[in-house]
Amino acid sequence: MLSMIVMQFKSWTGMDYCENEIAALWDSFNIIRASKSDSRANNNIPPDIQKLRCRACYEALRFSPRIEKMGKTLVERMRSFGPLHCI
């Protein structure tokens, strides 16, 4: 069974926080969900680590089921009218 934790990561932290606090969580949890991440707070984190953090947050973005359903409905309606009606 997958184990998950929801974390609100501290802003304005350095590599020590990532290495000691966050990396240690992988020993206990399969999924670490970030409820908040301050992408502006890089505090001299190496660019490759900053890029990885940004990509992980981007890849983790999901719409709520209600918004996902509404979006699919809108796309279906636009497609049913054909490309000329979308202009």
Side-chain angles (χ1 to χ4, degrees):
M1 180 168 190
L2 293 176
S3 59
M4 181 181 88
I5 186 171
V6 178
M7 290 284 301
Q8 183 170 349
F9 298 114
K10 295 177 185 176
S11 295
W12 305 104
T13 58
M15 282 299 295
D16 288 342
Y17 176 74
C18 295
E19 290 173 342
N20 299 328
E21 302 289 326
I22 305 303
L25 294 173
W26 289 118
D27 294 334
S28 303
F29 301 97
N30 303 103
I31 300 169
I32 300 173
R33 179 178 161 215
S35 64
K36 174 185 177 256
S37 177
D38 189 352
S39 62
R40 297 169 295 155
N42 59 22
N43 283 355
N44 299 319
I45 292 175
D48 57 333
I49 301 297
Q50 177 66 12
K51 288 176 188 176
L52 177 62
R53 182 172 69 171
C54 289
R55 183 174 181 111
C57 289
Y58 174 78
E59 292 293 329
L61 290 175
R62 299 286 182 266
F63 288 117
S64 69
R66 185 175 172 198
I67 293 174
E68 184 78 27
K69 182 179 177 185
M70 183 184 351
K72 287 180 181 181
T73 300
L74 290 172
V75 169
E76 287 172 10
R77 287 180 185 170
M78 289 190 301
R79 286 183 176 157
S80 70
F81 287 108
L84 296 178
H85 290 88
C86 293
I87 297 175

